Amino acid sequence: MSSNSRQPDNARLDRVVADARRRSEQREKTYREQALAIYPWICGRCAREFDRTNLHQLTVHHRDHNHDNNPPDGSNWELLCLYCHDNEHQKLLEAAQRGPGTGASSPGSAPATHSPFANLKSLLGKKK
Ligand SMILES: [Zn+2]
Ligand SMILES: [Zn+2]
């Protein structure tokens, strides 16, 4: 009987996790490198210029916010500095919260089951 305390299953799991992580890092690295190869190292918002010393502050933004959409022609990428990238997502968040016509904060547009104005509406309609 061999009483090895090795745990091959754990080791395999570690490898799988590491592999998955490496793959997603590689994918990110790939589209970032591709974007940096296609576009000039300039922020698309504030026009700040970057070089090798501060390139880590230049990020790749996905125009449609889908990080899996990485067309090789770069049409879904936009180079933004950290601040502008942050702003860009903040803007989208705020826009999504406000939403065109779907604002839940306006009481007038709330769907009324028993509207006290339903009667009034028909009254007004009759008057007309
Ligand atoms: Zn910027
Ligand atoms: Zn982004």
Side-chain angles (χ1 to χ4, degrees), residues 60-62 65 67 80 85 88-89:
V60 179
H61 171 61
H62 289 76
H65 291 258
H67 285 214
L80 298 178
H85 199 169
E88 195 60 28
H89 283 242

Side-chain angles (χ1 to χ4, degrees), residues 42-48 50 57-58 79-85 87:
I42 296 171
C43 172
R45 287 290 178 281
C46 68
R48 193 174 148 200
F50 290 82
Q57 289 177 43
L58 190 61
L79 293 182
L80 298 178
C81 76
L82 284 176
Y83 304 102
C84 293
H85 199 169
N87 273 341

Side-chain angles (χ1 to χ4, degrees), residues 45-93:
R45 287 290 178 281
C46 68
R48 193 174 148 200
E49 288 180 35
F50 290 82
D51 55 39
R52 288 189 183 282
T53 62
N54 57 5
L55 192 61
H56 61 277
Q57 289 177 43
L58 190 61
T59 58
V60 179
H61 171 61
H62 289 76
R63 289 174 191 271
D64 68 353
H65 291 258
N66 178 5
H67 285 214
D68 291 318
N69 183 13
N70 295 300
D73 65 350
S75 57
N76 193 35
W77 300 328
E78 193 172 18
L79 293 182
L80 298 178
C81 76
L82 284 176
Y83 304 102
C84 293
H85 199 169
D86 218 45
N87 273 341
E88 195 60 28
H89 283 242
Q90 203 66 36
K91 250 182 7 197
L92 197 96
L93 256 175

